């Protein structure tokens, strides 16, 4: 699975780790994250992420 980076703060979403604090289970592809999810570091919306 591909990793995605927040263009605002450089947080990198790793599908293997997910975002447990944000309700995203490990193994969740970025494409499968709900559209209302936000960056856990800076609060940027999902559309502020780019593939790395």
């Amino acid at each position: 699975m591909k990793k995605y980076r927040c263009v605002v703060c450089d947080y990198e979403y790793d599908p293997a780790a997910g975002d447990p604090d944000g309700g995203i289970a490990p193994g969740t592809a970025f494409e499968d994250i709900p559209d209302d999810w936000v960056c856990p570091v800076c609060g940027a919306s999902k559309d502020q992420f780019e593939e790395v």
Side-chain angles (χ1 to χ4, degrees), residues 19-30:
D19 176 21
D21 291 339
I24 308 300
T28 302
F30 188 78

Side-chain angles (χ1 to χ4, degrees), residues 20-43:
D21 291 339
I24 308 300
T28 302
F30 188 78
E31 296 81 7
D32 296 332
I33 296 173
D35 289 336
D36 61 352
W37 176 82
V38 295
C39 176
V41 175
C42 72

